[in-house]
């Protein structure tokens, strides 16, 4: 392999444009400070083992893993004569041209997601666009365990909340979130805001389940997003009006209802208690406010009675989390990284114990876990 041109890059990877067997290729190696460390070599090897199996027109092909005499362990990749999405967006492109880019990204990442591979690092600099034909090529899939090696992002804006948190199992919805961020950066018209907002929902249960669903709404165009937005607003207005009518009807008929008078007298009698009783009741209601009440959570209400994630399991989960967080709430422990890893291991262990779960059970489990964890995180000193 001939000596090539080093492409300027951030992070741990070194990119070299070179020639191999008469063809131009890209060499993805490790920068000098990382190339002799076994954990980073393993990261490179794992990436090749995963990504080389993918065969899609919009994913850069990883051809071979080699030991180069100059650069060390490296992946030989397909070379793309193009520019990043960041540079593409600086050019003057129509809405339809931008949507064509979104479709290609969704096709590539959706293909990987269907094979249980998440990109985890979908941002503008990791989307290349060929000069000829504007064909998309997605690069730089991030391996699940790379966080343990403290491989930093140049930006965290594209990363889904659950991926930042690191305590729940990652699925296609993490990439859906990142695609939504990319669409935001493309400055698409207002009529596509519904799709973008749904992609970027903080609660992953509110996002599209997969890339096909995103594209389906995009293909509906302005009418799809706008009509759903209008329907949501219309539903809210109708519900509000119905509540007003119900309240007015109740107030109007309250005085004419004979049964309402004794009830009112009974209510008056019940409140005529001694100051001592009133004080005792107030004290009982305000007792032990130092500990948060178990959150009101309706995540299991719609599940069948024989659901694996039932109310009993949920209450035990809350109790277990209370025990983990207690030293940190009291201030006797301060290593938040250790707490994060402990909570992450607990989540994965509990999820494994409850598996297999239906989509509804998994969603209820995640919602309850994340909601309570946020409450506990807010209490840590």
């Amino acid at each position: 392999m001939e000596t090539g041109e080093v492409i300027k890059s951030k992070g741990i990877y070194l990119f070299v444009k070179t020639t191999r067997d008469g063809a131009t290729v890209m060499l993805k190696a490790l920068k000098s400070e990382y190339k002799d460390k076994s954990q980073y070599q393993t990261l490179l090897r794992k990436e090749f083992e995963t990504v080389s199996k993918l065969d899609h027109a919009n994913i850069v092909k990883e051809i071979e893993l080699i030991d180069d005499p100059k650069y060390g362990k490296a992946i030989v990749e397909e070379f793309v004569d193009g520019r990043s999405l960041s540079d593409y967006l600086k050019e003057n492109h129509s809405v339809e041209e931008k949507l064509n880019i979104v479709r290609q990204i969704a096709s590539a990442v959706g293909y990987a997601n269907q094979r249980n591979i998440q990109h985890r690092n979908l941002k503008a600099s990791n989307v290349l666009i060929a000069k000829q034909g504007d064909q998309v090529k997605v690069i730089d899939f991030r391996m699940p365990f790379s966080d343990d090696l403290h491989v930093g992002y140049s930006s965290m804006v594209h990363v889904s909340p659950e991926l930042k948190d690191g305590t729940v199992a990652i699925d296609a919805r993490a990439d859906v979130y990142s695609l939504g961020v990319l669409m935001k950066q493309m400055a698409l018209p207002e009529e596509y805001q519904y799709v973008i907002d749904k992609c970027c929902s903080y609660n992953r249960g509110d996002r599209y389940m997969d890339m096909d669903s995103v594209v389906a709404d995009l293909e509906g165009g302005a009418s799809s997003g706008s009509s759903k937005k209008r329907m949501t607003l219309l539903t809210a207005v109708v519900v509000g009006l119905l509540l007003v009518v119900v309240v007015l009807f109740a107030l109007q008929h309250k005085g004419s209802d004979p049964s309402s008078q004794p009830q009112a007298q009974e209510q008056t009698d019940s409140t005529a208690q001694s100051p001592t009783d009133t004080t005792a009741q107030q004290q009982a209601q305000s007792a032990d406010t130092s500990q948060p009440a178990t959150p009101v959570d309706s995540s299991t209400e719609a599940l069948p009675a024989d659901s694996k994630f039932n109310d009993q399991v949920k209450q035990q989960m809350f109790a277990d989390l209370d025990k983990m967080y207690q030293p940190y709430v009291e201030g006797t422990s301060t290593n938040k990284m250790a707490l994060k890893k402990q909570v992450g291991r607990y989540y994965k262990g509990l999820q494994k114990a409850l598996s297999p779960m239906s989509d509804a059970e998994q969603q209820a489990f995640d919602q309850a876990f994340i909601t309570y964890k946020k409450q506990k995180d807010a209490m840590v000193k």
Side-chain angles (χ1 to χ4, degrees):
M1 184 175 291
E2 299 178 7
T3 301
E5 173 191 357
V6 175
I7 308 299
K8 186 178 179 181
S9 64
K10 298 179 181 179
I12 68 172
Y13 294 116
L14 177 72
F15 293 93
V16 183
K17 178 184 175 183
T18 187
T19 303
R20 182 179 174 84
D21 298 329
T24 302
V25 295
M26 184 67 76
L27 203 64
K28 181 177 181 178
L30 295 164
K31 290 181 178 177
S32 57
E33 59 267 41
Y34 303 106
K35 75 173 187 176
D36 294 326
K37 296 182 178 179
S38 61
Q39 62 267 45
Y40 291 99
Q41 293 175 357
T42 299
L43 182 64
L44 203 64
R45 178 176 56 80
K46 287 287 187 183
E47 177 185 334
F48 177 76
E49 290 174 353
T50 301
V51 181
S52 63
K53 298 174 184 176
L54 301 178
D55 186 12
H56 191 280
N58 298 121
I59 297 176
V60 163
K61 184 65 180 174
E62 296 196 352
I63 304 166
E64 187 178 0
L65 182 67
I66 64 171
D67 287 304
D68 185 85
K70 182 175 181 180
Y71 302 112
K73 193 171 292 295
I75 298 173
V76 180
E77 293 185 342
E78 168 190 6
F79 173 75
V80 180
D81 184 16
R83 69 282 202 205
S84 71
L85 178 58
S86 302
D87 291 331
Y88 175 88
L89 293 178
K90 296 174 184 177
E91 303 165 2
N92 187 22
H93 290 282
S94 68
V95 172
E96 182 52 42
E97 286 172 332
K98 292 177 182 177
L99 289 175
N100 182 47
I101 298 300
V102 174
R103 292 186 194 103
Q104 292 184 69
I105 297 171
S107 177
V109 179
Y111 165 85
N113 292 161
Q114 289 169 5
R115 286 151 183 79
N116 201 29
I117 298 172
Q118 283 70 51
H119 190 285
R120 296 169 175 259
N121 198 16
L122 189 60
K123 56 184 177 179
S125 59
N126 286 336
V127 177
L128 302 182
I129 303 174
K131 293 177 181 178
Q132 295 297 323
D134 283 349
Q135 183 183 17
V136 165
K137 293 286 186 177
V138 177
I139 64 171
D140 203 16
F141 282 72
R142 185 179 173 91
M143 295 299 100
F145 63 92
S146 58
D147 286 322
D148 297 335
L149 303 179
H150 306 291
V151 182
Y153 290 108
S154 60
S155 170
M156 291 293 282
V157 68
H158 64 284
V159 180
S160 68
E162 67 271 19
L163 193 51
K164 289 177 185 176
D165 187 73
T167 57
V168 299
I170 302 303
D171 59 24
R173 290 171 291 181
D175 289 337
V176 166
Y177 181 95
S178 300
L179 181 64
V181 175
L182 289 182
M183 286 192 283
K184 276 186 184 179
Q185 295 170 343
M186 289 182 175
L188 294 172
E190 175 66 24
E191 52 261 38
Y192 296 99
Q193 193 61 45
Y194 173 85
V195 180
I196 294 172
D197 289 344
K198 188 172 175 65
C199 286
C200 294
S201 296
Y202 185 89
N203 183 348
R204 67 177 181 174
D206 296 331
R207 293 179 216 148
Y208 294 101
M209 289 297 295
D210 51 44
M211 293 295 179
D212 287 343
S213 302
V214 178
V215 173
D217 263 9
L218 281 177
E219 297 300 348
S223 60
S224 174
S226 299
S227 63
K228 289 184 179 181
K229 197 170 186 179
R230 286 195 299 270
M231 184 60 69
T232 301
L233 290 172
L234 180 60
T235 301
V237 170
V238 170
V239 170
L241 289 173
L242 285 173
L243 287 173
V244 170
V245 170
V246 169
V247 171
L248 290 175
F249 181 83
L251 290 173
Q252 183 179 359
H253 290 78
K254 184 176 181 182
S256 61
D257 184 0
S259 63
S260 65
Q261 298 302 321
Q263 186 176 2
Q265 180 63 43
E266 184 178 322
Q267 194 173 31
T268 303
D269 293 342
S270 68
T271 57
Q273 53 185 311
S274 68
T276 304
D277 292 339
T278 303
T279 303
Q281 184 181 34
Q282 291 173 344
Q283 289 176 343
Q285 289 174 346
S286 61
D288 195 23
T289 57
S290 60
Q291 293 296 326
T294 300
V296 177
D297 177 36
S298 60
S299 59
T300 59
E301 288 182 2
L303 296 176
D306 60 348
S307 170
K308 289 188 176 182
F309 184 62
N310 53 34
D311 192 63
Q312 183 178 357
V313 173
K314 183 170 61 173
Q315 295 305 321
Q316 182 60 52
M317 180 178 75
F318 291 155
D320 292 341
L321 287 172
D322 285 342
K323 290 178 183 178
M324 291 180 214
Y325 274 89
Q326 192 61 33
Y328 298 88
V329 173
E330 294 173 347
T332 55
S333 295
T334 58
N335 189 343
K336 294 182 181 179
M337 182 58 70
L339 173 62
K340 179 180 178 180
K341 290 182 178 180
Q342 182 184 12
V343 173
R345 286 194 298 268
Y346 175 75
Y347 168 86
K348 293 172 184 175
L350 183 56
Q351 184 190 48
K352 185 176 180 180
L354 295 173
S355 294
M357 289 190 284
S358 67
D359 289 343
E361 289 174 323
Q362 180 69 57
Q363 183 174 337
F365 172 58
D366 285 346
Q367 181 179 342
F369 189 92
I370 292 172
T371 299
Y372 199 60
K373 179 182 178 299
K374 285 178 183 175
Q375 292 185 17
K376 304 303 293 186
D377 284 339
M379 298 175 63
V380 172
K381 298 178 181 180

